[in-house]
Amino acid sequence: MKLGIVGLPNVGKSTLFNSLTKAGAESANYPFCTIDPNVGVVAVPDERLDKLAALYDSEKITPAVIEFVDIAGLVKGASKGEGLGNQFLSNIREVDAIVHVVRCFEDTNVIHVDGSVDPMRDIETINFELILSDIEILERRIAKTSKGARNDKALAKELALLERIKAHLEEGRLAKSFETSDEDELALLTSYNLLTYKPVIFAANVSEDDLADDGASNENVKKVREFATQEGFEVFVISAQIEQEISELDEEDKTMFLEELGLSESGLDKLIKASYRLLGLISYLTSGKQETRAWTIKNGTKAPGAAGKIHSDFERGFIRAEVVNYQDLLDCGSYSAAKDKGLVRLEGKEYVVKDGDVILFRFNV
């Protein structure tokens, strides 16, 4: 999973990136300190892996990972090259979802590029720049497609679609709200990699005082939540500054620090849960002496498709899957005990894999 982090300058974007990835990206109180995209890979915390590895005495644990791409703060005119904006935007075209960091805290020591804190104005600014960047992509595609559209029905149909999407965006609407029931058109729309077609998770960056009640008493957070609900996006409340402090602690001190703040989980945990929900992802597990590992798949994936995440041969030669629920396996204390109790099931090609399934695939190529 790959997530792109966007936001205006000085909203806490690079501070958040640093704390999530411990990558040490430059973070300063002035615009455009992040010139090249910063990329960090983060392991998805999953306590199930440690418990399974102990059960199997595994030599290695391999968690699922998320790749974060942090680009420079965007400003008005970014899509037209202001502050090198378009160059930055191209760096996040390949991500699965966008994490939009929105400033919801007041601090006279941290300047705001527009002079005041107003998350809805900030969201509008970023969305406008993403829309303009998408229009530019569509214009290039229209110019290319129109050359062959006269003599090719498929290209003519695509050209009409491109023009409809462009008109939709020119009304100030996101590509995500563009409606079509035509499966071919949907496939094309997805293939354009438009920034405003990507799912969004808003990171509402608050002060430490607003963390304990999850931003419930912060009027700015309320506005962001209302907007996200309308658009079908996710929101999580975070204090980038506190996250940075958490990232410098070991596991034991981190738990104590969170408890002192009245928190049950870190911002990274919140973000991972939000991104899995938004993208409809789950994890199944494999375990043995050599390795215990988490594999991320789309919710609704059938057994052969899940097997293909390990290796294409597993999918091609799929025979069956031996499946046991993670908790059942732990409760029984061993795979053979779970088998004796009839908790290990043999599943075929139509089985839909569930979160927390521990699977052994049988295949023949």
Side-chain angles (χ1 to χ4, degrees):
M1 177 162 50
K2 198 170 179 180
L3 303 177
I5 304 178
V6 303
L8 291 170
N10 300 344
V11 295
K13 200 168 51 60
S14 290
T15 305
L16 175 61
F17 174 82
N18 286 341
S19 60
L20 294 177
T21 63
K22 300 178 188 170
E26 189 178 354
S27 170
N29 188 12
Y30 56 90
F32 314 126
C33 64
T34 322
I35 298 301
D36 294 316
N38 293 304
V39 179
V41 178
V42 179
V44 175
D46 192 339
E47 61 180 17
R48 299 175 300 189
L49 293 176
D50 294 320
K51 292 175 181 176
L52 269 183
L55 191 70
Y56 280 87
D57 194 23
S58 303
E59 292 164 13
K60 182 179 164 191
I61 295 175
T62 307
V65 294
I66 295 179
E67 186 176 312
F68 289 102
V69 182
D70 173 38
I71 63 167
L74 298 171
V75 292
K76 281 177 186 164
S79 57
K80 298 297 176 198
E82 281 295 318
L84 305 176
N86 228 0
Q87 184 184 324
F88 299 145
L89 287 169
S90 66
N91 292 320
I92 56 163
R93 253 182 214 285
E94 302 303 318
V95 300
D96 299 303
I98 289 172
V99 180
H100 185 162
V101 184
V102 188
R103 179 170 166 175
C104 295
F105 67 90
E106 298 283 352
D107 186 343
T108 51
N109 295 317
V110 182
I111 55 171
H112 190 292
V113 286
D114 288 327
S116 62
V117 175
D118 182 346
M120 297 319 298
R121 178 199 60 212
D122 295 354
I123 288 170
E124 201 174 294
T125 298
I126 297 289
N127 281 348
F128 185 65
E129 294 308 322
L130 299 183
I131 285 169
L132 289 178
S133 182
D134 281 347
I135 288 172
E136 191 180 313
I137 293 290
L138 290 173
E139 283 172 344
R140 275 191 236 145
R141 188 96 186 197
I142 286 168
K144 190 178 170 187
T145 308
S146 56
K147 287 175 186 172
R150 286 180 191 170
N151 307 314
D152 187 318
K153 282 184 181 176
L155 285 179
K157 186 182 175 184
E158 184 180 357
L159 182 61
L161 171 68
L162 287 163
E163 285 169 345
R164 274 164 47 221
I165 300 168
K166 181 171 172 267
H168 179 85
L169 292 177
E170 284 170 343
E171 289 172 3
R173 294 189 285 172
L174 306 179
K176 191 178 178 296
S177 63
F178 180 83
E179 291 180 3
T180 174
S181 55
D182 185 308
E183 284 187 19
D184 291 339
E185 287 191 345
L186 271 175
L188 282 168
L189 176 55
T190 305
S191 73
Y192 300 147
N193 245 345
L194 298 176
L195 292 170
T196 62
Y197 192 63
K198 295 182 187 295
V200 175
I201 304 162
F202 288 109
N205 191 9
V206 301
S207 65
E208 181 184 331
D209 297 340
D210 286 331
L211 265 185
D213 70 351
D214 203 33
S217 54
N218 184 310
E219 288 303 316
N220 287 324
V221 174
K222 283 180 191 171
K223 290 173 188 170
V224 175
R225 281 191 166 127
E226 283 167 16
F227 178 76
T229 302
Q230 288 167 16
E231 297 290 336
F233 295 148
E234 287 276 346
V235 180
F236 75 106
V237 173
I238 196 167
S239 167
Q241 206 57 54
I242 293 294
E243 283 302 309
Q244 192 149 24
E245 290 176 39
I246 290 171
S247 72
E248 289 159 11
L249 301 172
D250 61 33
E251 210 55 43
E252 199 175 316
D253 289 341
K254 177 178 149 183
T255 306
M256 283 170 60
F257 185 55
L258 286 170
E259 282 172 4
E260 282 170 24
L261 291 169
L263 304 173
S264 58
E265 57 187 353
S266 70
L268 176 61
D269 296 330
K270 284 185 190 177
L271 173 54
I272 288 167
K273 284 179 183 171
S275 51
Y276 269 63
R277 275 196 307 271
L278 190 68
L279 295 169
L281 302 175
I282 60 169
S283 292
Y284 76 87
L285 313 164
T286 55
S287 196
K289 178 68 180 160
Q290 279 188 314
E291 181 186 47
T292 290
R293 183 164 181 164
W295 303 87
T296 302
I297 55 170
K298 280 269 187 194
N299 197 2
T301 301
K302 291 182 180 178
K309 287 291 283 187
I310 301 174
H311 198 285
S312 56
D313 284 352
F314 281 35
E315 183 170 9
R316 204 154 44 91
F318 178 88
I319 300 170
R320 65 176 183 273
E322 293 180 19
V323 184
V324 59
N325 173 270
Y326 155 79
Q327 196 56 55
D328 288 342
L329 179 55
L330 273 196
D331 291 345
C332 291
S334 73
Y335 188 80
S336 55
K339 210 167 188 177
D340 291 343
K341 288 189 175 180
L343 296 171
V344 177
R345 309 182 311 277
L346 294 181
E347 301 287 2
K349 290 182 177 181
E350 292 305 307
Y351 176 68
V352 176
V353 174
K354 296 175 182 63
D355 188 62
D357 277 348
V358 182
I359 306 180
L360 175 65
F361 292 107
R362 300 291 182 193
F363 72 103
N364 182 30
V365 176

